[in-house]
Amino acid sequence: LFSAQKVGKAYRRNSRKLSLFEIIELPLDFIISVLVIVLISLRIRTRVNSAATVADILESLTTIPWSNSNVGPNEKTAMFFEGLNKVFQVINTEYRVGQLCNILLMVMLFRIILATNVHPRLAL
């Protein structure tokens, strides 16, 4: 909100042109806010559902009737790979949330560099 007020005041004054930083600042702050909300909601959802997800995966893997001769080997391996697929889905979800976190960190780093108005080598 502060950057929106600053851009609005500068626009109304018409005393000077807006710098590139002042033009980029407002959308960048909005993008950062949205990404933080999305990241937090994804993390909360995965943490809340983690116990049920792990229980579901373990149940699907431990209930495979390996010693039952009435169940064919193709069915047993299909059950095993279904459970394994669930594990891969959880890993993929965590990977994508990690990617979103990395993107957010890069955008925040870019925002800090813009805010310092210093050359990137010196800002770090």
Side-chain angles (χ1 to χ4, degrees):
L1 291 175
F2 176 71
S3 58
Q5 289 174 344
K6 189 167 71 171
V7 170
K9 285 179 185 177
Y11 181 74
R12 274 180 263 151
R13 282 190 219 140
N14 275 336
S15 59
R16 63 180 176 86
K17 288 189 173 185
L18 295 175
S19 68
L20 179 63
F21 171 68
E22 290 172 333
I23 294 170
I24 292 175
E25 185 178 21
L26 181 61
L28 193 59
D29 287 343
F30 179 74
I31 290 169
I32 289 172
S33 301
V34 169
L35 284 175
V36 165
I37 291 170
V38 168
L39 183 66
I40 289 172
S41 65
L42 286 174
R43 286 288 182 190
I44 289 173
R45 188 188 71 172
T46 56
R47 295 302 180 251
V48 167
N49 296 333
S50 65
T53 303
V54 170
D56 182 45
I57 291 170
L58 289 177
E59 180 184 354
S60 68
L61 290 174
T62 57
T63 57
I64 299 172
W66 293 110
S67 60
N68 189 351
S69 60
N70 294 333
V71 180
N74 291 338
E75 294 174 31
K76 293 176 187 177
T77 54
M79 289 178 189
F80 175 74
F81 284 115
E82 284 175 15
L84 204 57
N85 191 25
K86 291 178 185 177
V87 172
F88 289 140
Q89 288 174 349
V90 170
I91 291 171
N92 190 26
T93 302
E94 286 295 319
Y95 175 74
R96 294 199 184 277
V97 170
Q99 282 181 329
L100 180 63
C101 184
N102 288 335
I103 290 170
L104 178 62
L105 289 173
M106 293 301 290
V107 170
M108 290 174 108
L109 177 65
F110 181 68
R111 173 68 173 93
I112 289 170
I113 290 171
L114 282 176
T116 58
N117 286 329
V118 178
H119 191 274
R121 289 184 191 158
L122 299 176
L124 296 175

